[in-house]
């Protein structure tokens, strides 16, 4: 069998809504590796948020922050930090509007508000991360920030989208959005890895379920949407497998002929 590279999203793809890793998913990943395939992660999460998962699955190639921080075989090969001036302007405006911001680099995250804000606690709790970001309103200064979280209700981000053209806003929770450099995506990060690995398009695969997977599923020829994916995500994929908690990864890998 020819060797392929397979990229997996985390939340709703590798992990269930309860953030558990199905046994069939782990078994499938291990089988792929035994067969000699390259297994990688492509996620909106920060690297420090899924270190244990990478260790459990033995994965050292990954795209973090929706393409802004890319690692190949344990080595950082590409970074794309946010524009510091735009980030400062956004932060100041968001603070005036009562919208908290969390700054994230490759090692940690800090909030620009000191109080225990409901939006921050509610959204980050869904990731099953039990340590909330500490307060440091100037964390973005003099360091690279790869992604920022903006906390606001749906549609309240529209004025920001209209004003900050060099930033992209991707909603992942009813009260939270990822803020990344304009044009950044998992697909861009994957392309950086492909420049090094050189797999042809017919041997590239990707599994995802969320809105931040759309570019990846559109660009990768053998794209698979999870059964629990949103309709517009399924429309972008070549295949649709079962839900993550119905052994969707194992089913999808068999569907495309990798297992």
């Amino acid at each position: 069998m020819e060797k392929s590279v397979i990229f997996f999203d985390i939340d709703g793809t590798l992990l269930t809504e309860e953030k558990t890793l199905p046994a069939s998913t782990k078994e499938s990943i291990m089988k792929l590796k035994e067969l000699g395939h390259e297994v990688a992660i492509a996620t909106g999460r920060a690297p420090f948020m899924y270190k244990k998962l990478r260790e459990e699955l033995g994965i050292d190639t990954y795209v973090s922050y929706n393409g802004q921080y890319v690692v190949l075989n344990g080595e950082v090969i590409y970074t794309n930090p946010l524009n510091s001036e735009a980030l400062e302007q956004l932060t100041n405006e968001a603070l005036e509007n009562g919208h908290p911001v969390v700054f994230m680099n490759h090692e940690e995250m800090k909030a620009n508000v000191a109080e225990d804000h409901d939006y921050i606690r509610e959204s980050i709790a869904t990731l099953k991360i039990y340590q909330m970001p500490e307060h440091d309103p100037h964390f973005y200064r003099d360091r690279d920030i790869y992604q920022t979280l903006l906390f606001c209700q749906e549609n309240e981000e529209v004025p920001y989208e209209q004003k900050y053209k060099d930033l992209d806003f991707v909603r992942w929770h009813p009260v939270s959005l990822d803020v990344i450099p304009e044009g950044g995506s998992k697909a861009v990060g994957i392309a950086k890895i492909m420049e090094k690995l050189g797999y042809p398009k017919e041997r590239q695969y990707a599994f995802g379920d969320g809105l931040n997977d759309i570019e990846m599923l559109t660009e990768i020829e053998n794209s698979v949407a999870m059964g629990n994916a949103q309709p517009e995500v399924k429309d972008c994929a070549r295949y649709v497998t079962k839900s993550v908690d119905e052994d969707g990864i194992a089913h999808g890998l068999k569907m495309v002929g990798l297992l």
Side-chain angles (χ1 to χ4, degrees):
M1 179 187 295
E2 286 189 303
K3 304 302 185 288
S4 298
V5 59
I6 308 99
F7 291 88
F8 294 96
D9 169 52
I10 293 180
D11 300 289
T13 301
L14 288 178
L15 300 183
T16 67
E17 186 176 348
E18 292 74 32
K19 307 309 174 189
T20 60
L21 179 68
S24 64
T25 296
K26 183 174 181 178
E27 292 168 5
S28 297
I29 297 296
M30 296 309 177
K31 184 63 175 177
L32 286 175
K33 294 175 66 177
E34 289 175 12
L35 292 171
H37 297 301
E38 186 88 30
V39 179
I41 286 174
T43 179
R45 285 191 181 222
F48 58 84
M49 289 182 175
Y50 61 102
K51 184 173 183 290
K52 290 183 179 179
L53 179 64
R54 296 199 307 272
E55 292 173 347
E56 181 176 359
L57 297 177
I59 294 175
D60 56 8
T61 294
Y62 50 94
V63 174
S64 289
Y65 290 134
N66 292 315
Q68 314 321 305
Y69 191 86
V70 181
V71 173
L72 173 61
N73 297 325
E75 178 185 353
V76 179
I77 62 167
Y78 174 74
T79 62
N80 184 31
L82 287 157
N83 178 278
S84 58
E85 292 183 6
L87 179 55
E88 182 167 25
Q89 292 175 13
L90 171 67
T91 300
N92 292 336
E93 185 173 343
L95 194 60
E96 292 176 1
N97 294 333
H99 298 151
V101 167
V102 166
F103 311 107
M104 310 175 81
N105 70 357
H106 62 293
E107 296 178 321
E108 56 186 337
M109 59 182 175
K110 302 290 184 180
N112 72 335
V113 292
E115 71 272 13
D116 182 20
H117 198 282
D118 289 344
Y119 288 0
I120 297 178
R121 185 177 63 254
E122 176 187 342
S123 57
I124 291 182
T126 65
L127 300 174
K128 304 298 182 184
I129 298 170
Y130 300 103
Q131 183 174 357
M132 293 294 108
E134 296 177 351
H135 178 228
D136 185 347
H138 305 304
F139 184 71
Y140 65 91
R141 295 179 180 173
D142 302 320
R143 57 168 50 87
D144 287 337
I145 301 297
Y146 300 108
Q147 182 169 279
T148 289
L149 302 180
L150 173 66
F151 299 87
C152 61
Q153 295 280 356
E154 292 186 28
N155 296 319
E156 288 183 329
E157 72 273 17
V158 173
Y160 300 115
E161 292 175 331
Q162 294 173 340
K163 182 174 182 178
Y164 298 97
K165 298 300 184 183
D166 52 353
L167 302 177
D168 281 348
F169 298 80
V170 183
R171 184 167 290 280
W172 63 276
H173 186 275
V175 296
S176 185
L177 301 101
D178 294 333
V179 182
I180 60 176
E182 188 272 332
S185 72
K186 293 182 183 182
V188 172
I190 288 173
K192 299 299 179 181
I193 291 176
M194 288 302 97
E195 289 174 5
K196 302 285 187 178
L197 295 182
Y199 284 89
K201 288 186 176 296
E202 61 269 20
R203 290 197 279 122
Q204 298 176 27
Y205 295 79
F207 287 69
D209 74 298
L211 297 178
N212 63 342
D213 294 317
I214 286 178
E215 292 88 354
M216 174 177 76
L217 297 179
T218 301
E219 292 293 326
I220 299 297
E221 184 169 311
N222 300 298
S223 56
V224 185
M226 303 301 292
N228 48 278
Q230 299 178 50
E232 56 265 52
V233 178
K234 292 179 180 178
D235 290 343
C236 295
R238 182 175 180 180
Y239 306 96
V240 178
T241 184
K242 296 180 180 179
S243 297
V244 58
D245 52 5
E246 297 177 326
D247 301 326
I249 292 297
H251 179 80
L253 289 170
K254 292 173 183 176
M255 179 192 307
V256 299
L258 289 173
L259 291 182

